[in-house]
Short mmCIF file of all heavy atoms in Angstrom, two decimals:
data_model
loop_
_atom_site.label_atom_id
_atom_site.label_comp_id
_atom_site.label_asym_id
_atom_site.label_seq_id
_atom_site.Cartn_x
_atom_site.Cartn_y
_atom_site.Cartn_z
N VAL A 1 38.36 158.24 122.74
CA VAL A 1 38.45 157.66 121.34
C VAL A 1 37.30 156.63 121.29
O VAL A 1 37.04 155.83 122.11
CB VAL A 1 39.70 156.98 121.09
CG1 VAL A 1 39.73 156.25 119.86
CG2 VAL A 1 40.90 158.05 121.16
N GLY A 2 36.71 156.62 120.12
CA GLY A 2 35.75 155.54 119.75
C GLY A 2 36.37 154.67 118.62
O GLY A 2 36.72 155.17 117.67
N LEU A 3 36.66 153.51 119.05
CA LEU A 3 37.33 152.46 118.05
C LEU A 3 36.28 151.55 117.48
O LEU A 3 35.62 150.79 118.20
CB LEU A 3 38.43 151.75 118.87
CG LEU A 3 39.29 150.95 117.96
CD1 LEU A 3 40.07 151.69 117.07
CD2 LEU A 3 40.15 149.99 118.86
N SER A 4 36.27 151.50 116.14
CA SER A 4 35.27 150.66 115.42
C SER A 4 35.77 149.29 115.39
O SER A 4 36.82 148.91 114.83
CB SER A 4 34.93 151.19 114.07
OG SER A 4 34.33 152.46 114.15
N ILE A 5 35.06 148.36 115.97
CA ILE A 5 35.47 146.88 115.89
C ILE A 5 34.17 146.07 116.06
O ILE A 5 33.38 146.34 116.96
CB ILE A 5 36.46 146.54 116.91
CG1 ILE A 5 36.94 145.06 116.83
CG2 ILE A 5 36.06 146.88 118.34
CD1 ILE A 5 38.29 144.80 117.59
N ASP A 6 34.00 145.12 115.21
CA ASP A 6 32.75 144.26 115.17
C ASP A 6 32.94 142.91 115.69
O ASP A 6 32.16 142.00 115.36
CB ASP A 6 32.17 144.16 113.74
CG ASP A 6 31.80 145.53 113.16
OD1 ASP A 6 31.81 146.54 113.96
OD2 ASP A 6 31.56 145.67 111.98
N GLY A 7 33.86 142.67 116.67
CA GLY A 7 33.98 141.41 117.29
C GLY A 7 35.26 140.63 116.86
O GLY A 7 36.18 141.20 116.36
N PRO A 8 35.34 139.40 117.00
CA PRO A 8 36.53 138.60 116.64
C PRO A 8 36.73 138.77 115.12
O PRO A 8 35.82 139.09 114.31
CB PRO A 8 36.22 137.23 117.04
CG PRO A 8 34.73 137.15 117.23
CD PRO A 8 34.27 138.43 117.48
N ALA A 9 37.92 138.37 114.66
CA ALA A 9 38.41 138.56 113.25
C ALA A 9 37.42 137.96 112.18
O ALA A 9 37.18 138.58 111.15
CB ALA A 9 39.81 137.96 113.06
N ASP A 10 36.92 136.73 112.44
CA ASP A 10 36.10 136.06 111.46
C ASP A 10 34.76 136.86 111.24
O ASP A 10 34.15 136.71 110.21
CB ASP A 10 35.74 134.73 111.87
CG ASP A 10 35.05 134.51 113.19
OD1 ASP A 10 35.37 135.26 114.14
OD2 ASP A 10 34.21 133.69 113.28
N LEU A 11 34.35 137.56 112.27
CA LEU A 11 33.04 138.41 112.03
C LEU A 11 33.40 139.79 111.73
O LEU A 11 32.75 140.47 110.81
CB LEU A 11 32.26 138.46 113.34
CG LEU A 11 31.83 137.03 113.91
CD1 LEU A 11 31.12 137.15 115.27
CD2 LEU A 11 30.79 136.50 112.85
N HIS A 12 34.38 140.33 112.19
CA HIS A 12 34.74 141.83 111.94
C HIS A 12 35.21 141.97 110.45
O HIS A 12 34.82 142.91 109.74
CB HIS A 12 36.02 142.27 112.77
CG HIS A 12 36.63 143.56 112.43
ND1 HIS A 12 36.35 144.67 113.12
CD2 HIS A 12 37.55 143.87 111.50
CE1 HIS A 12 37.09 145.74 112.54
NE2 HIS A 12 37.76 145.17 111.62
N ASP A 13 35.93 141.01 109.95
CA ASP A 13 36.51 141.15 108.56
C ASP A 13 35.46 140.79 107.48
O ASP A 13 35.89 141.08 106.28
CB ASP A 13 37.73 140.29 108.38
CG ASP A 13 38.96 140.73 109.18
OD1 ASP A 13 38.97 142.11 109.42
OD2 ASP A 13 39.84 140.00 109.62
N ILE A 14 34.35 140.39 107.76
CA ILE A 14 33.34 140.21 106.83
C ILE A 14 32.96 141.50 106.12
O ILE A 14 32.84 141.50 104.83
CB ILE A 14 32.05 139.59 107.37
CG1 ILE A 14 32.24 138.14 107.95
CG2 ILE A 14 30.99 139.52 106.32
CD1 ILE A 14 31.14 137.56 108.64
N HIS A 15 32.91 142.51 106.85
CA HIS A 15 32.45 143.81 106.33
C HIS A 15 33.40 144.92 106.33
O HIS A 15 33.26 145.96 105.68
CB HIS A 15 31.09 144.23 107.09
CG HIS A 15 30.00 143.33 106.86
ND1 HIS A 15 29.22 143.32 105.67
CD2 HIS A 15 29.48 142.41 107.63
CE1 HIS A 15 28.28 142.36 105.78
NE2 HIS A 15 28.45 141.84 106.93
N ARG A 16 34.39 144.85 107.28
CA ARG A 16 35.44 145.94 107.54
C ARG A 16 36.67 145.57 106.84
O ARG A 16 37.49 144.90 107.47
CB ARG A 16 35.49 146.27 109.00
CG ARG A 16 34.26 146.62 109.70
CD ARG A 16 34.43 147.18 111.01
NE ARG A 16 35.23 148.36 111.06
CZ ARG A 16 34.66 149.65 110.76
NH1 ARG A 16 33.45 149.81 110.57
NH2 ARG A 16 35.48 150.65 110.78
N TYR A 17 36.91 146.07 105.63
CA TYR A 17 37.96 145.83 104.90
C TYR A 17 38.62 147.09 104.08
O TYR A 17 37.96 148.12 104.14
CB TYR A 17 37.88 144.67 103.80
CG TYR A 17 36.51 144.76 103.17
CD1 TYR A 17 36.19 145.66 102.14
CD2 TYR A 17 35.50 143.91 103.59
CE1 TYR A 17 34.88 145.70 101.57
CE2 TYR A 17 34.20 143.88 102.98
CZ TYR A 17 34.03 144.77 101.93
OH TYR A 17 32.75 144.81 101.37
N ASN A 18 39.84 147.03 103.74
CA ASN A 18 40.38 148.27 103.17
C ASN A 18 39.97 148.43 101.71
O ASN A 18 39.25 147.58 101.14
CB ASN A 18 41.91 148.32 103.38
CG ASN A 18 42.64 147.13 102.59
OD1 ASN A 18 42.15 146.59 101.75
ND2 ASN A 18 43.75 146.92 103.11
N LYS A 19 40.58 149.29 100.98
CA LYS A 19 40.35 149.68 99.61
C LYS A 19 40.63 148.49 98.75
O LYS A 19 40.19 148.35 97.61
CB LYS A 19 40.92 150.96 99.16
CG LYS A 19 40.44 152.13 99.85
CD LYS A 19 39.00 152.54 99.77
CE LYS A 19 38.66 153.84 100.42
NZ LYS A 19 37.21 154.18 100.32
N GLY A 20 41.58 147.73 99.12
CA GLY A 20 42.03 146.56 98.37
C GLY A 20 41.29 145.31 98.72
O GLY A 20 41.61 144.15 98.17
N GLY A 21 40.23 145.36 99.61
CA GLY A 21 39.53 144.22 100.07
C GLY A 21 40.28 143.38 101.10
O GLY A 21 39.83 142.24 101.40
N LYS A 22 41.31 143.87 101.70
CA LYS A 22 42.04 143.22 102.73
C LYS A 22 41.55 143.37 104.11
O LYS A 22 40.94 144.41 104.46
CB LYS A 22 43.51 143.63 102.71
CG LYS A 22 44.36 143.50 101.47
CD LYS A 22 44.42 142.08 101.01
CE LYS A 22 45.30 141.89 99.73
NZ LYS A 22 45.47 140.46 99.28
N PRO A 23 41.60 142.29 104.91
CA PRO A 23 41.07 142.41 106.27
C PRO A 23 41.70 143.48 107.22
O PRO A 23 42.97 143.80 106.95
CB PRO A 23 41.28 141.05 106.85
CG PRO A 23 42.41 140.53 106.05
CD PRO A 23 42.24 141.04 104.69
N THR A 24 41.13 143.88 108.09
CA THR A 24 41.60 145.10 109.02
C THR A 24 41.74 144.64 110.46
O THR A 24 42.18 145.53 111.25
CB THR A 24 40.73 146.29 108.74
OG1 THR A 24 39.40 145.97 109.31
CG2 THR A 24 40.71 146.72 107.34
N HIS A 25 41.13 143.53 110.87
CA HIS A 25 41.05 143.23 112.34
C HIS A 25 42.36 143.30 113.03
O HIS A 25 42.48 143.90 114.15
CB HIS A 25 40.37 141.87 112.39
CG HIS A 25 40.06 141.61 113.93
ND1 HIS A 25 40.81 141.00 114.79
CD2 HIS A 25 38.84 141.73 114.55
CE1 HIS A 25 40.17 140.72 115.95
NE2 HIS A 25 39.04 141.20 115.81
N ALA A 26 43.45 142.79 112.47
CA ALA A 26 44.73 142.75 113.15
C ALA A 26 45.19 144.20 113.51
O ALA A 26 45.80 144.52 114.54
CB ALA A 26 45.75 142.09 112.38
N LYS A 27 44.94 145.21 112.49
CA LYS A 27 45.36 146.47 112.72
C LYS A 27 44.57 147.20 113.66
O LYS A 27 45.03 148.09 114.55
CB LYS A 27 45.37 147.24 111.37
CG LYS A 27 46.36 146.73 110.43
CD LYS A 27 46.40 147.67 109.17
CE LYS A 27 47.47 147.16 108.17
NZ LYS A 27 47.66 148.06 106.96
N VAL A 28 43.27 146.90 113.73
CA VAL A 28 42.40 147.54 114.81
C VAL A 28 42.78 147.05 116.24
O VAL A 28 42.89 147.73 117.25
CB VAL A 28 40.94 147.17 114.49
CG1 VAL A 28 40.08 147.89 115.61
CG2 VAL A 28 40.51 147.75 113.22
N MET A 29 43.10 145.69 116.32
CA MET A 29 43.53 145.19 117.68
C MET A 29 44.88 145.87 118.07
O MET A 29 45.15 146.06 119.30
CB MET A 29 43.67 143.75 117.59
CG MET A 29 42.28 142.94 117.50
SD MET A 29 41.30 143.35 118.86
CE MET A 29 42.18 142.53 120.23
N HIS A 30 45.76 146.10 117.07
CA HIS A 30 47.03 146.79 117.37
C HIS A 30 46.77 148.14 117.87
O HIS A 30 47.38 148.65 118.87
CB HIS A 30 47.86 146.81 116.19
CG HIS A 30 49.16 147.60 116.35
ND1 HIS A 30 50.17 147.27 117.19
CD2 HIS A 30 49.64 148.76 115.91
CE1 HIS A 30 51.16 147.98 117.18
NE2 HIS A 30 50.89 149.01 116.48
N ALA A 31 45.74 148.87 117.29
CA ALA A 31 45.31 150.18 117.80
C ALA A 31 44.77 150.08 119.20
O ALA A 31 45.21 150.96 120.08
CB ALA A 31 44.33 150.70 116.88
N ALA A 32 43.99 149.12 119.48
CA ALA A 32 43.50 148.97 120.91
C ALA A 32 44.73 148.66 121.87
O ALA A 32 44.62 149.29 122.91
CB ALA A 32 42.57 147.81 120.97
N GLN A 33 45.58 147.94 121.43
CA GLN A 33 46.81 147.66 122.22
C GLN A 33 47.53 149.01 122.57
O GLN A 33 47.91 149.25 123.72
CB GLN A 33 47.73 146.68 121.68
CG GLN A 33 48.97 146.34 122.53
CD GLN A 33 49.94 145.34 121.79
OE1 GLN A 33 49.83 145.21 120.49
NE2 GLN A 33 50.71 144.68 122.56
#
C-alpha cells in the first residue's frame, strides 16, 4: 500500500482536505494505525 501523507497535521492539512474543505490528517493516521 502507498499511503499519501504530507507530514504532521499542520502541514498535511494545508493542501489535503475533503470535498467540504475539512482536514484529513486524523483519518490518514487512523489508516496507518
